[in-house]
Amino acid sequence: PTITTQAEKDYTEALFAGNELRMSELLRTSGPVANELTSRTLCAVVRMLLSLLQSKSPRSFVDISLAWFEQLATLDRRCLSAELEMEVVNTLQTLAASVDELDKMQVTKAQQLVEPLKKQWGVDGY
């Protein structure tokens, strides 16, 4: 099925233009809209979130990323490649172990997301 929501149009446009400022603005203002995006666009957004978390100032994107990853756990469709799913799980495990860099609520949220996503995606023997 083709998804043609405003969110799909906005994210596709920002991704196609390579406009990181517009993309970070969208991420901050739209909230997680994974259910409104095609699998292709969602994969690109997840890659962008993972990249932002590995950037020089990842703390500013932790809450946004956690909200998106939380929504991924509730989707009833598989939309990411196995490799990207594993990268999300690994990133969450890294965040969950970042007790010195992140606040307690962020660490707890990351910890709470690891197992449901691993189970949903069949990662590590689930």
Side-chain angles (χ1 to χ4, degrees):
T2 303
I3 299 176
T4 55
T5 64
Q6 188 61 47
E8 174 68 21
K9 291 176 187 173
D10 291 345
Y11 276 92
T12 301
E13 182 180 289
L15 289 163
F16 182 73
N19 188 335
E20 288 186 29
L21 182 60
R22 174 70 176 130
M23 189 65 171
S24 65
E25 179 185 307
L26 275 172
L27 290 168
R28 291 181 198 283
T29 59
S30 74
V33 290
N35 57 329
E36 297 178 35
L37 302 177
T38 62
S39 294
R40 182 178 179 185
T41 303
L42 181 56
C43 284
V45 170
V46 169
R47 281 190 193 93
M48 173 69 81
L49 289 168
L50 293 169
S51 174
L52 290 169
L53 287 172
Q54 296 166 2
S55 69
K56 293 177 185 170
S57 58
R59 289 197 70 176
S60 58
F61 291 99
V62 170
D63 289 328
I64 293 165
S65 299
L66 289 173
W68 276 82
F69 298 156
E70 184 174 27
Q71 191 177 61
L72 289 177
T74 66
L75 288 180
D76 58 355
R77 62 185 169 110
R78 290 286 294 264
C79 47
L80 305 180
S81 67
E83 180 182 321
L84 196 52
E85 289 172 349
M86 193 66 197
E87 195 172 341
V88 169
V89 168
N90 288 339
T91 298
L92 283 169
Q93 289 173 325
T94 299
L95 291 174
S98 300
V99 292
D100 294 332
E101 293 89 35
L102 303 178
D103 69 43
K104 186 176 169 116
M105 287 179 58
Q106 291 170 323
V107 168
T108 301
K109 174 63 82 178
Q111 290 168 340
Q112 291 171 342
L113 286 171
V114 170
E115 290 306 314
L117 285 173
K118 284 171 68 173
K119 186 174 183 176
Q120 179 174 336
W121 293 336
V123 175
D124 287 345
Y126 276 98

